[in-house]
Amino acid sequence: MEKILLKNLGNPDAHKIDHYVKGGGYKALDAALKLQPDNIIQMVKDSGLRGRGGAGFSTGLKWSFIPKDPAIPKYLCCNADEGEPGTFKDRGIMDWDPHLLIEGMLIASRAFGAARSYVYIRGEFVFGAKRIQAAIDEAYAKGFLGKNIMGTGFNHDMYVHRGFGAYICGEETALLESIEGYRAQPRKKPPFPALAGLYGKPTVINNVETLSCIPAIIERGPKWFSSMGPEKSPGPKIYGVSGHVKRPGLYELPMGTTIRDLIFNHCGGMRSDKSLKAVIPGGVSAPMLTAKDLDTPMDFDSLAAKGTMLGSGAVIVMDESTCIVKMSYIINRFFSHESCGKCTPCRDGTPWITKALRRLENGEGRPGDTGLLESLCTNIFGRTFCPLGDGAVMALRGALKNFREEFLYHERHKRCAV
Amino acid sequence: MPLESVKEEITEALRKYPNKRSAVMDVLRIAERAAGGHVTKEAMDEIARLLEMRPVEVNSAATFYTMYSVARPVGRHRIWVCRNISCSLLGAEHIIAHLERALGVKTGETTPDKKFTLDVAECLGSCGTSPMMQIDDDYYENLTEAKIDEILKGLK
């Protein structure tokens, strides 16, 4: 398949603007500037593009919620806080093709009338932040950013905002709090950011991969985009594969590629040719699947039908030597560490889960610990302010559903069955 | 005035936002570097004056984001070893144990010569090239024990 998002992965010159323009870059912006803004929104709606950050909401529809009044300032925030464990896809775009993202952001901003945008990039991505900043500087110098872009009267300023180590900033309202200089704790919704977002103004928050799909949709048309992959979740998708496979890495494939095809064809199969025990299809919040689910197409709806989710497209593969109790401990330790502290079920519940899992993993499990975990899941799920607590529960429930015996073995025998 | 030497960088940070408070994360980062790797109380007080915030609000932001080292001096080089799921599947525990042996410190500690501070991190977004670690601004990927020894030797 022709690559759209990762065509420049590993190309040492592709991040420079001359290279990008030579390859047809900023032509989509030129075309978009000649369209009525509402037509751009309609094209993105027609393409069927759904948000690649995890929620899978229609991108065009999200843009259409922004009020049309030109007197109200509007913002675009690019969510580049990539923090879901297992996820490293947005880095593949930002490090190697920063202008693709910038062009996508400019077209989006034109569509709903944002004069200012921020790229919210996680603090650890120093290389990526420098790449994006350098590309922004180049775009200003060439007249693609700033005043009167390409002579059309469209003005736009773009800035990099660096995070500094908080997973919760990937939650869109926490991200806004963080840009405003507060502790990144999620806001109450409604009002949704489309009406009251950054600085109380209408704001769209889109993921890096989502925005990077936009130039191709404008250039080649919505039909071309929607013809790729399943009807209800079309387009190219970056799958980031890690863990026990021969060739981990980023793979841009049509949405709906099966897990089996991804692991055994593209990634060369299992490392050391051991058998597959479990696979997490969309970052650690997504419930794990097992070998019987390998023929599931990896798109929003097919994975939801299996009780899990596409999430960020981060595929974590575990072979037969993996202890699921230990992995569950590692996953939940992460969630308790990253809980922002705002609401009680998450703030107190996730460390409680972690403590019980640590006991089980260290051979100090108490009778009833497995049942305790199940009861904690019930008392956290659906009762937290934002999806972080739900993510912790979904991960653990997936493990308990498929590997309950392993938890009980740890509880009874004070050691691992693997 | 601990921030006198980095005034220009601070002005540049303020230029990005419609209000002063939004620059607090950038300015904390600038202050941290100016103080040799950690955020001091004096710096937070000065940031509060500069950004027209209360000192407790600056402290509140600084202590929320885990990459700031608030009132905790660190070595010349900060090492973060990823220990989340993908790195763990490929041996992060051995990587951490090897670093503890090589540096003669436990996780969370600084070497007596103040050269290295060793910390662990929960997923640095480099899962396809695990196990990995970050030292200061740079990622070091596909780690082995021999590779770690080379990397440590190469740092001044």
Side-chain angles (χ1 to χ4, degrees), chain A residues 272-299:
Chain A
S272 321
D273 295 316
K274 288 187 178 155
S275 66
L276 183 143
K277 181 171 184 177
V279 54
I280 299 176
V284 292
S285 303
M288 57 180 68
L289 298 171
T290 60
K292 68 181 187 319
D293 304 308
L294 285 177
D295 293 310
T296 312
M298 300 193 60
D299 60 70

Side-chain angles (χ1 to χ4, degrees), chain A residues 102-125:
Chain A
I102 293 172
E103 187 174 12
M105 287 178 69
L106 276 162
I107 296 167
S109 298
R110 169 67 167 181
F112 56 84
R116 201 180 251 255
S117 59
Y118 290 95
V119 180
Y120 190 106
I121 184 166
R122 63 178 293 178
E124 295 89 343
F125 285 176

Side-chain angles (χ1 to χ4, degrees), chain A residues 374-418:
Chain A
E374 280 159 348
S375 122
L376 283 166
C377 286
T378 310
N379 283 293
I380 295 173
F381 192 80
R383 299 177 188 194
T384 57
F385 202 84
C386 84
L388 192 148
D390 290 345
V393 170
M394 288 191 297
L396 182 55
R397 276 185 172 162
L400 283 164
K401 184 180 142 207
N402 290 301
F403 300 99
R404 196 165 189 277
E405 282 309 310
E406 256 184 58
F407 288 83
L408 289 171
Y409 193 94
H410 273 251
E411 186 181 314
R412 286 180 195 139
H413 301 279
K414 317 285 182 208
R415 61 189 167 82
C416 188
V418 179

Side-chain angles (χ1 to χ4, degrees), chain A residues 75 82-88 91 116 118 120 122-127 130 133 159-166 168-169 174 177-185 199 241-244 248-249 271 280 284 316-319 322 326-327 329-331 333-334 337-341, chain B residues 12 14-26 28-29 32-33 39 53 56-69 78 80 82-91 93 120-132 134 136-139 141-142:
Chain A
Y75 292 99
E82 187 153 76
E84 178 77 18
T87 314
F88 52 104
R91 207 181 135 205
R116 201 180 251 255
Y118 290 95
Y120 190 106
R122 63 178 293 178
E124 295 89 343
F125 285 176
V126 183
F127 183 84
K130 284 183 183 162
Q133 187 58 57
Y159 304 94
V160 173
H161 182 99
R162 287 181 59 203
F164 226 49
I168 192 63
C169 293
E177 287 288 292
S178 183
I179 296 180
E180 292 188 23
Y182 295 95
R183 293 167 83 87
Q185 293 185 319
Y199 306 113
V241 189
S242 63
H244 295 143
R271 187 177 289 236
I280 299 176
V284 292
I316 305 161
V317 183
M318 293 170 257
D319 70 21
T322 312
K326 183 177 176 184
M327 287 309 125
Y329 165 57
I330 288 171
I331 292 169
R333 181 181 65 196
F334 166 80
H337 179 258
E338 297 298 341
S339 175
C340 81
Chain B
E12 189 65 19
L14 281 163
R15 205 182 55 82
K16 289 162 39 179
Y17 306 100
N19 68 19
K20 289 186 176 174
R21 176 194 288 268
S22 287
V24 68
M25 291 181 72
D26 272 359
L28 278 165
R29 185 162 35 235
E32 184 178 73
R33 212 178 44 239
V39 183
M53 294 166 72
V56 67
E57 293 176 304
V58 177
N59 183 278
S60 164
T63 52
F64 185 85
Y65 300 94
T66 53
M67 285 172 73
Y68 297 114
S69 191
R78 276 191 85 176
W80 286 275
C82 176
R83 62 167 183 174
N84 209 287
I85 183 160
S86 305
C87 283
S88 177
L89 286 170
L90 297 181
E93 277 172 27
V120 288
E122 296 290 356
C123 196
L124 294 168
S126 195
C127 320
T129 45
S130 59
M132 63 80 63
Q134 178 172 14
D136 305 325
D137 287 352
D138 300 315
Y139 276 20
E141 299 160 272
N142 297 311

Side-chain angles (χ1 to χ4, degrees), chain B:
Chain B
M1 295 295 267
L3 300 182
E4 196 56 39
S5 62
V6 285
K7 232 169 136 182
E8 271 176 40
E9 272 182 82
I10 293 174
T11 311
E12 189 65 19
L14 281 163
R15 205 182 55 82
K16 289 162 39 179
Y17 306 100
N19 68 19
K20 289 186 176 174
R21 176 194 288 268
S22 287
V24 68
M25 291 181 72
D26 272 359
V27 178
L28 278 165
R29 185 162 35 235
I30 294 163
E32 184 178 73
R33 212 178 44 239
H38 73 293
V39 183
T40 63
K41 187 181 175 300
E42 294 71 36
M44 284 191 282
D45 287 346
E46 195 181 335
I47 291 169
R49 273 195 302 278
L50 267 173
L51 303 184
E52 294 162 18
M53 294 166 72
R54 285 173 292 164
V56 67
E57 293 176 304
V58 177
N59 183 278
S60 164
T63 52
F64 185 85
Y65 300 94
T66 53
M67 285 172 73
Y68 297 114
S69 191
V70 180
R72 171 198 174 218
V74 292
R76 276 204 308 290
H77 300 291
R78 276 191 85 176
I79 304 175
W80 286 275
V81 193
C82 176
R83 62 167 183 174
N84 209 287
I85 183 160
S86 305
C87 283
S88 177
L89 286 170
L90 297 181
E93 277 172 27
H94 302 292
I95 299 296
I96 295 167
H98 182 73
L99 275 160
E100 287 184 336
R101 266 197 311 275
L103 299 173
V105 293
K106 290 248 170 293
T107 300
E109 294 177 350
T110 299
T111 55
D113 62 1
K114 306 269 186 286
K115 189 170 174 185
F116 295 106
T117 297
L118 179 63
D119 282 317
V120 288
E122 296 290 356
C123 196
L124 294 168
S126 195
C127 320
T129 45
S130 59
M132 63 80 63
M133 64 178 170
Q134 178 172 14
I135 304 181
D136 305 325
D137 287 352
D138 300 315
Y139 276 20
Y140 297 88
E141 299 160 272
N142 297 311
L143 293 177
T144 59
E145 295 189 358
K147 212 166 158 182
I148 291 171
D149 296 340
E150 280 301 303
I151 294 162
L152 293 180
K153 231 189 282 166
L155 289 166
K156 290 268 179 315

